[in-house]
mmCIF file with all atom_site columns, all heavy atoms in Angstrom:
data_model
loop_
_atom_site.group_PDB
_atom_site.id
_atom_site.type_symbol
_atom_site.label_atom_id
_atom_site.label_alt_id
_atom_site.label_comp_id
_atom_site.label_asym_id
_atom_site.label_entity_id
_atom_site.label_seq_id
_atom_site.pdbx_PDB_ins_code
_atom_site.Cartn_x
_atom_site.Cartn_y
_atom_site.Cartn_z
_atom_site.occupancy
_atom_site.B_iso_or_equiv
_atom_site.pdbx_formal_charge
_atom_site.auth_seq_id
_atom_site.auth_comp_id
_atom_site.auth_asym_id
_atom_site.auth_atom_id
_atom_site.pdbx_PDB_model_num
ATOM 1   N N   . LEU A 1 335 ? -97.218  -4.882  -50.003 1.00 0.00 ? 622 LEU A N   1
ATOM 2   C CA  . LEU A 1 335 ? -96.510  -3.670  -49.629 1.00 0.00 ? 622 LEU A CA  1
ATOM 3   C C   . LEU A 1 335 ? -97.409  -2.423  -49.809 1.00 0.00 ? 622 LEU A C   1
ATOM 4   O O   . LEU A 1 335 ? -98.251  -2.461  -50.736 1.00 0.00 ? 622 LEU A O   1
ATOM 5   C CB  . LEU A 1 335 ? -95.247  -3.486  -50.461 1.00 0.00 ? 622 LEU A CB  1
ATOM 6   C CG  . LEU A 1 335 ? -94.135  -4.563  -50.300 1.00 0.00 ? 622 LEU A CG  1
ATOM 7   C CD1 . LEU A 1 335 ? -93.117  -4.410  -51.417 1.00 0.00 ? 622 LEU A CD1 1
ATOM 8   C CD2 . LEU A 1 335 ? -93.467  -4.405  -48.945 1.00 0.00 ? 622 LEU A CD2 1
ATOM 9   N N   . ASP A 1 336 ? -97.239  -1.412  -48.990 1.00 0.00 ? 623 ASP A N   1
ATOM 10  C CA  . ASP A 1 336 ? -98.062  -0.243  -49.110 1.00 0.00 ? 623 ASP A CA  1
ATOM 11  C C   . ASP A 1 336 ? -97.918  0.394   -50.474 1.00 0.00 ? 623 ASP A C   1
ATOM 12  O O   . ASP A 1 336 ? -98.871  0.937   -51.047 1.00 0.00 ? 623 ASP A O   1
ATOM 13  C CB  . ASP A 1 336 ? -97.694  0.792   -48.016 1.00 0.00 ? 623 ASP A CB  1
ATOM 14  C CG  . ASP A 1 336 ? -98.197  0.381   -46.665 1.00 0.00 ? 623 ASP A CG  1
ATOM 15  O OD1 . ASP A 1 336 ? -99.117  -0.465  -46.579 1.00 0.00 ? 623 ASP A OD1 1
ATOM 16  O OD2 . ASP A 1 336 ? -97.683  0.880   -45.637 1.00 0.00 ? 623 ASP A OD2 1
ATOM 17  N N   . ARG A 1 337 ? -96.670  0.377   -51.054 1.00 0.00 ? 624 ARG A N   1
ATOM 18  C CA  . ARG A 1 337 ? -96.461  1.016   -52.341 1.00 0.00 ? 624 ARG A CA  1
ATOM 19  C C   . ARG A 1 337 ? -97.171  0.324   -53.476 1.00 0.00 ? 624 ARG A C   1
ATOM 20  O O   . ARG A 1 337 ? -97.124  0.767   -54.612 1.00 0.00 ? 624 ARG A O   1
ATOM 21  C CB  . ARG A 1 337 ? -94.972  1.165   -52.584 1.00 0.00 ? 624 ARG A CB  1
ATOM 22  C CG  . ARG A 1 337 ? -94.264  -0.141  -52.748 1.00 0.00 ? 624 ARG A CG  1
ATOM 23  C CD  . ARG A 1 337 ? -92.816  0.065   -53.239 1.00 0.00 ? 624 ARG A CD  1
ATOM 24  N NE  . ARG A 1 337 ? -92.014  0.767   -52.240 1.00 0.00 ? 624 ARG A NE  1
ATOM 25  C CZ  . ARG A 1 337 ? -91.228  0.205   -51.352 1.00 0.00 ? 624 ARG A CZ  1
ATOM 26  N NH1 . ARG A 1 337 ? -91.141  -1.131  -51.347 1.00 0.00 ? 624 ARG A NH1 1
ATOM 27  N NH2 . ARG A 1 337 ? -90.517  0.871   -50.507 1.00 0.00 ? 624 ARG A NH2 1
ATOM 28  N N   . SER A 1 338 ? -97.773  -0.886  -53.209 1.00 0.00 ? 625 SER A N   1
ATOM 29  C CA  . SER A 1 338 ? -98.420  -1.606  -54.237 1.00 0.00 ? 625 SER A CA  1
ATOM 30  C C   . SER A 1 338 ? -99.936  -1.300  -54.339 1.00 0.00 ? 625 SER A C   1
ATOM 31  O O   . SER A 1 338 ? -100.695 -1.974  -55.016 1.00 0.00 ? 625 SER A O   1
ATOM 32  C CB  . SER A 1 338 ? -98.248  -3.119  -54.021 1.00 0.00 ? 625 SER A CB  1
ATOM 33  O OG  . SER A 1 338 ? -98.988  -3.538  -52.873 1.00 0.00 ? 625 SER A OG  1
ATOM 34  N N   . ARG A 1 339 ? -100.368 -0.263  -53.654 1.00 0.00 ? 626 ARG A N   1
ATOM 35  C CA  . ARG A 1 339 ? -101.807 0.012   -53.570 1.00 0.00 ? 626 ARG A CA  1
ATOM 36  C C   . ARG A 1 339 ? -102.445 0.212   -54.961 1.00 0.00 ? 626 ARG A C   1
ATOM 37  O O   . ARG A 1 339 ? -103.594 -0.077  -55.148 1.00 0.00 ? 626 ARG A O   1
ATOM 38  C CB  . ARG A 1 339 ? -102.053 1.293   -52.739 1.00 0.00 ? 626 ARG A CB  1
ATOM 39  C CG  . ARG A 1 339 ? -101.823 1.069   -51.239 1.00 0.00 ? 626 ARG A CG  1
ATOM 40  C CD  . ARG A 1 339 ? -102.076 2.353   -50.462 1.00 0.00 ? 626 ARG A CD  1
ATOM 41  N NE  . ARG A 1 339 ? -101.807 2.192   -49.028 1.00 0.00 ? 626 ARG A NE  1
ATOM 42  C CZ  . ARG A 1 339 ? -102.707 1.774   -48.172 1.00 0.00 ? 626 ARG A CZ  1
ATOM 43  N NH1 . ARG A 1 339 ? -103.930 1.558   -48.569 1.00 0.00 ? 626 ARG A NH1 1
ATOM 44  N NH2 . ARG A 1 339 ? -102.417 1.646   -46.878 1.00 0.00 ? 626 ARG A NH2 1
ATOM 45  N N   . GLY A 1 340 ? -101.728 0.736   -55.898 1.00 0.00 ? 627 GLY A N   1
ATOM 46  C CA  . GLY A 1 340 ? -102.298 1.008   -57.203 1.00 0.00 ? 627 GLY A CA  1
ATOM 47  C C   . GLY A 1 340 ? -102.065 -0.138  -58.204 1.00 0.00 ? 627 GLY A C   1
ATOM 48  O O   . GLY A 1 340 ? -102.475 -0.002  -59.353 1.00 0.00 ? 627 GLY A O   1
ATOM 49  N N   . VAL A 1 341 ? -101.569 -1.271  -57.760 1.00 0.00 ? 628 VAL A N   1
ATOM 50  C CA  . VAL A 1 341 ? -101.245 -2.349  -58.673 1.00 0.00 ? 628 VAL A CA  1
ATOM 51  C C   . VAL A 1 341 ? -102.516 -3.219  -58.896 1.00 0.00 ? 628 VAL A C   1
ATOM 52  O O   . VAL A 1 341 ? -103.079 -3.728  -57.942 1.00 0.00 ? 628 VAL A O   1
ATOM 53  C CB  . VAL A 1 341 ? -100.105 -3.221  -58.146 1.00 0.00 ? 628 VAL A CB  1
ATOM 54  C CG1 . VAL A 1 341 ? -99.926  -4.447  -59.031 1.00 0.00 ? 628 VAL A CG1 1
ATOM 55  C CG2 . VAL A 1 341 ? -98.823  -2.429  -58.022 1.00 0.00 ? 628 VAL A CG2 1
ATOM 56  N N   . LEU A 1 342 ? -102.924 -3.295  -60.152 1.00 0.00 ? 629 LEU A N   1
ATOM 57  C CA  . LEU A 1 342 ? -104.027 -4.149  -60.560 1.00 0.00 ? 629 LEU A CA  1
ATOM 58  C C   . LEU A 1 342 ? -103.446 -5.138  -61.607 1.00 0.00 ? 629 LEU A C   1
ATOM 59  O O   . LEU A 1 342 ? -103.274 -4.746  -62.762 1.00 0.00 ? 629 LEU A O   1
ATOM 60  C CB  . LEU A 1 342 ? -105.195 -3.397  -61.128 1.00 0.00 ? 629 LEU A CB  1
ATOM 61  C CG  . LEU A 1 342 ? -105.974 -2.443  -60.168 1.00 0.00 ? 629 LEU A CG  1
ATOM 62  C CD1 . LEU A 1 342 ? -107.034 -1.674  -60.957 1.00 0.00 ? 629 LEU A CD1 1
ATOM 63  C CD2 . LEU A 1 342 ? -106.631 -3.294  -59.070 1.00 0.00 ? 629 LEU A CD2 1
ATOM 64  N N   . PRO A 1 343 ? -103.105 -6.334  -61.237 1.00 0.00 ? 630 PRO A N   1
ATOM 65  C CA  . PRO A 1 343 ? -102.466 -7.247  -62.182 1.00 0.00 ? 630 PRO A CA  1
ATOM 66  C C   . PRO A 1 343 ? -103.287 -7.474  -63.465 1.00 0.00 ? 630 PRO A C   1
ATOM 67  O O   . PRO A 1 343 ? -104.521 -7.579  -63.395 1.00 0.00 ? 630 PRO A O   1
ATOM 68  C CB  . PRO A 1 343 ? -102.344 -8.581  -61.395 1.00 0.00 ? 630 PRO A CB  1
ATOM 69  C CG  . PRO A 1 343 ? -102.378 -8.119  -59.939 1.00 0.00 ? 630 PRO A CG  1
ATOM 70  C CD  . PRO A 1 343 ? -103.260 -6.952  -59.890 1.00 0.00 ? 630 PRO A CD  1
ATOM 71  N N   . VAL A 1 344 ? -102.606 -7.538  -64.593 1.00 0.00 ? 631 VAL A N   1
ATOM 72  C CA  . VAL A 1 344 ? -103.253 -7.755  -65.856 1.00 0.00 ? 631 VAL A CA  1
ATOM 73  C C   . VAL A 1 344 ? -104.089 -9.020  -65.795 1.00 0.00 ? 631 VAL A C   1
ATOM 74  O O   . VAL A 1 344 ? -105.188 -9.089  -66.377 1.00 0.00 ? 631 VAL A O   1
ATOM 75  C CB  . VAL A 1 344 ? -102.196 -7.856  -66.999 1.00 0.00 ? 631 VAL A CB  1
ATOM 76  C CG1 . VAL A 1 344 ? -102.895 -8.142  -68.307 1.00 0.00 ? 631 VAL A CG1 1
ATOM 77  C CG2 . VAL A 1 344 ? -101.435 -6.536  -67.092 1.00 0.00 ? 631 VAL A CG2 1
ATOM 78  N N   . LYS A 1 345 ? -103.544 -10.055 -65.124 1.00 0.00 ? 632 LYS A N   1
ATOM 79  C CA  . LYS A 1 345 ? -104.255 -11.347 -65.116 1.00 0.00 ? 632 LYS A CA  1
ATOM 80  C C   . LYS A 1 345 ? -105.632 -11.259 -64.455 1.00 0.00 ? 632 LYS A C   1
ATOM 81  O O   . LYS A 1 345 ? -106.518 -12.036 -64.767 1.00 0.00 ? 632 LYS A O   1
ATOM 82  C CB  . LYS A 1 345 ? -103.423 -12.412 -64.380 1.00 0.00 ? 632 LYS A CB  1
ATOM 83  C CG  . LYS A 1 345 ? -103.160 -12.149 -62.965 1.00 0.00 ? 632 LYS A CG  1
ATOM 84  C CD  . LYS A 1 345 ? -102.359 -13.315 -62.326 1.00 0.00 ? 632 LYS A CD  1
ATOM 85  C CE  . LYS A 1 345 ? -100.953 -13.389 -62.878 1.00 0.00 ? 632 LYS A CE  1
ATOM 86  N NZ  . LYS A 1 345 ? -100.126 -12.251 -62.485 1.00 0.00 ? 632 LYS A NZ  1
ATOM 87  N N   . LEU A 1 346 ? -105.862 -10.243 -63.592 1.00 0.00 ? 633 LEU A N   1
ATOM 88  C CA  . LEU A 1 346 ? -107.182 -10.086 -62.973 1.00 0.00 ? 633 LEU A CA  1
ATOM 89  C C   . LEU A 1 346 ? -108.256 -9.927  -64.031 1.00 0.00 ? 633 LEU A C   1
ATOM 90  O O   . LEU A 1 346 ? -109.333 -10.575 -63.988 1.00 0.00 ? 633 LEU A O   1
ATOM 91  C CB  . LEU A 1 346 ? -107.167 -8.839  -62.054 1.00 0.00 ? 633 LEU A CB  1
ATOM 92  C CG  . LEU A 1 346 ? -108.543 -8.392  -61.582 1.00 0.00 ? 633 LEU A CG  1
ATOM 93  C CD1 . LEU A 1 346 ? -109.104 -9.427  -60.605 1.00 0.00 ? 633 LEU A CD1 1
ATOM 94  C CD2 . LEU A 1 346 ? -108.447 -7.014  -60.919 1.00 0.00 ? 633 LEU A CD2 1
ATOM 95  N N   . PHE A 1 347 ? -107.974 -9.137  -65.047 1.00 0.00 ? 634 PHE A N   1
ATOM 96  C CA  . PHE A 1 347 ? -108.958 -8.864  -66.112 1.00 0.00 ? 634 PHE A CA  1
ATOM 97  C C   . PHE A 1 347 ? -109.094 -10.044 -67.063 1.00 0.00 ? 634 PHE A C   1
ATOM 98  O O   . PHE A 1 347 ? -110.194 -10.364 -67.567 1.00 0.00 ? 634 PHE A O   1
ATOM 99  C CB  . PHE A 1 347 ? -108.615 -7.583  -66.822 1.00 0.00 ? 634 PHE A CB  1
ATOM 100 C CG  . PHE A 1 347 ? -108.493 -6.403  -65.881 1.00 0.00 ? 634 PHE A CG  1
ATOM 101 C CD1 . PHE A 1 347 ? -107.269 -6.037  -65.409 1.00 0.00 ? 634 PHE A CD1 1
ATOM 102 C CD2 . PHE A 1 347 ? -109.633 -5.755  -65.498 1.00 0.00 ? 634 PHE A CD2 1
ATOM 103 C CE1 . PHE A 1 347 ? -107.165 -4.948  -64.520 1.00 0.00 ? 634 PHE A CE1 1
ATOM 104 C CE2 . PHE A 1 347 ? -109.555 -4.676  -64.621 1.00 0.00 ? 634 PHE A CE2 1
ATOM 105 C CZ  . PHE A 1 347 ? -108.324 -4.295  -64.110 1.00 0.00 ? 634 PHE A CZ  1
ATOM 106 N N   . GLU A 1 348 ? -108.007 -10.722 -67.298 1.00 0.00 ? 635 GLU A N   1
ATOM 107 C CA  . GLU A 1 348 ? -108.064 -11.955 -68.118 1.00 0.00 ? 635 GLU A CA  1
ATOM 108 C C   . GLU A 1 348 ? -108.881 -12.996 -67.396 1.00 0.00 ? 635 GLU A C   1
ATOM 109 O O   . GLU A 1 348 ? -109.694 -13.734 -68.035 1.00 0.00 ? 635 GLU A O   1
ATOM 110 C CB  . GLU A 1 348 ? -106.668 -12.413 -68.430 1.00 0.00 ? 635 GLU A CB  1
ATOM 111 C CG  . GLU A 1 348 ? -105.894 -11.454 -69.329 1.00 0.00 ? 635 GLU A CG  1
ATOM 112 C CD  . GLU A 1 348 ? -104.413 -11.674 -69.329 1.00 0.00 ? 635 GLU A CD  1
ATOM 113 O OE1 . GLU A 1 348 ? -103.912 -12.417 -68.465 1.00 0.00 ? 635 GLU A OE1 1
ATOM 114 O OE2 . GLU A 1 348 ? -103.728 -11.106 -70.183 1.00 0.00 ? 635 GLU A OE2 1
ATOM 115 N N   . TYR A 1 349 ? -108.706 -13.113 -66.114 1.00 0.00 ? 636 TYR A N   1
ATOM 116 C CA  . TYR A 1 349 ? -109.512 -14.033 -65.311 1.00 0.00 ? 636 TYR A CA  1
ATOM 117 C C   . TYR A 1 349 ? -111.025 -13.715 -65.426 1.00 0.00 ? 636 TYR A C   1
ATOM 118 O O   . TYR A 1 349 ? -111.821 -14.599 -65.573 1.00 0.00 ? 636 TYR A O   1
ATOM 119 C CB  . TYR A 1 349 ? -109.110 -13.989 -63.864 1.00 0.00 ? 636 TYR A CB  1
ATOM 120 C CG  . TYR A 1 349 ? -107.776 -14.583 -63.481 1.00 0.00 ? 636 TYR A CG  1
ATOM 121 C CD1 . TYR A 1 349 ? -107.314 -14.517 -62.160 1.00 0.00 ? 636 TYR A CD1 1
ATOM 122 C CD2 . TYR A 1 349 ? -106.942 -15.225 -64.414 1.00 0.00 ? 636 TYR A CD2 1
ATOM 123 C CE1 . TYR A 1 349 ? -106.102 -15.065 -61.760 1.00 0.00 ? 636 TYR A CE1 1
ATOM 124 C CE2 . TYR A 1 349 ? -105.741 -15.752 -64.038 1.00 0.00 ? 636 TYR A CE2 1
ATOM 125 C CZ  . TYR A 1 349 ? -105.309 -15.684 -62.730 1.00 0.00 ? 636 TYR A CZ  1
ATOM 126 O OH  . TYR A 1 349 ? -104.097 -16.220 -62.362 1.00 0.00 ? 636 TYR A OH  1
ATOM 127 N N   . LEU A 1 350 ? -111.326 -12.428 -65.372 1.00 0.00 ? 637 LEU A N   1
ATOM 128 C CA  . LEU A 1 350 ? -112.732 -12.015 -65.461 1.00 0.00 ? 637 LEU A CA  1
ATOM 129 C C   . LEU A 1 350 ? -113.265 -12.444 -66.818 1.00 0.00 ? 637 LEU A C   1
ATOM 130 O O   . LEU A 1 350 ? -114.403 -12.895 -66.942 1.00 0.00 ? 637 LEU A O   1
ATOM 131 C CB  . LEU A 1 350 ? -112.855 -10.511 -65.282 1.00 0.00 ? 637 LEU A CB  1
ATOM 132 C CG  . LEU A 1 350 ? -112.693 -9.989  -63.875 1.00 0.00 ? 637 LEU A CG  1
ATOM 133 C CD1 . LEU A 1 350 ? -112.657 -8.414  -63.916 1.00 0.00 ? 637 LEU A CD1 1
ATOM 134 C CD2 . LEU A 1 350 ? -113.802 -10.416 -62.953 1.00 0.00 ? 637 LEU A CD2 1
ATOM 135 N N   . GLY A 1 351 ? -112.487 -12.295 -67.853 1.00 0.00 ? 638 GLY A N   1
ATOM 136 C CA  . GLY A 1 351 ? -112.921 -12.666 -69.206 1.00 0.00 ? 638 GLY A CA  1
ATOM 137 C C   . GLY A 1 351 ? -113.144 -14.165 -69.319 1.00 0.00 ? 638 GLY A C   1
ATOM 138 O O   . GLY A 1 351 ? -114.042 -14.616 -70.011 1.00 0.00 ? 638 GLY A O   1
#
Side-chain angles (χ1 to χ4, degrees):
L622 296 167
D623 286 342
R624 64 172 65 96
S625 70
R626 288 180 182 270
V628 175
L629 293 176
V631 178
K632 64 177 68 68
L633 169 68
F634 303 96
E635 293 163 347
Y636 288 177
L637 287 171

